Amino acid sequence: MLLKPLHRMKNFDEETYNELHAMAKALLQDGHETDDVKQRLLERSNDIILVTTAVKEAKNEHYKKLSAQGRTYIAIGGLSILLGFLITCINFHANKSVEYAMFGLTSVGIVILFFGLFKIIG
């Protein structure tokens, strides 16, 4: 998890890095901005390289998690849209009402799909 250049530093303190990394992850998960996270970490440690690296790694992990969640929502939304389309086609050819499937499932699927895109974009 640590970047290789950090191990080459003379005064590298892995315990401090792990503490800063955990704190950065928690702050990012709570919705704090990157600059705010850096300022809070700088209050803990005055090593700017350590703080910057901890924030960068925490941001990468945070965005990977959001991206995975977004892909899940997109898959669920796409499945709902497809299911709404299929039920609409079947009901249309059976001369039954198509309103619930067409407007219900498809609309819900579109909302879920866009929520997934929102998660991926960040």
Side-chain angles (χ1 to χ4, degrees):
M1 182 159 85
L2 296 175
L3 296 175
K4 290 181 182 181
L6 284 179
H7 289 295
R8 294 186 205 138
M9 291 175 49
K10 291 180 183 178
N11 302 347
F12 177 68
D13 183 12
E14 190 168 348
E15 185 177 315
T16 303
Y17 173 80
N18 290 336
E19 178 185 331
L20 292 174
H21 184 262
M23 188 175 172
K25 278 176 53 175
L27 289 171
L28 286 171
Q29 194 170 16
D30 289 341
H32 292 277
E33 295 293 324
T34 305
D35 294 333
D36 184 36
V37 172
K38 280 185 182 179
Q39 288 300 325
R40 289 184 185 214
L41 294 183
L42 283 172
E43 293 171 2
R44 290 274 206 175
S45 173
N46 59 0
D47 188 357
I48 189 72
I49 295 172
L50 201 61
V51 168
T52 304
T53 306
V55 170
K56 182 179 178 182
E57 290 292 318
K59 276 179 45 178
N60 286 343
E61 290 176 19
H62 181 68
Y63 288 128
K64 281 182 185 177
K65 182 180 175 183
L66 286 178
S67 180
Q69 288 176 352
R71 284 191 301 272
T72 303
Y73 281 115
I74 287 174
I76 292 170
L79 209 59
S80 177
I81 291 170
L82 181 65
L83 186 63
F85 171 74
L86 291 175
I87 292 173
T88 300
C89 287
I90 291 169
N91 283 348
F92 177 76
H93 290 294
N95 289 330
K96 294 183 180 177
S97 175
V98 297
E99 293 174 358
Y100 294 116
M102 182 186 290
F103 299 118
L105 277 175
T106 308
S107 298
V108 168
I110 290 171
V111 169
I112 293 172
L113 188 127
F114 278 120
F115 184 71
L117 289 173
F118 172 75
K119 285 281 209 181
I120 288 176
I121 292 170

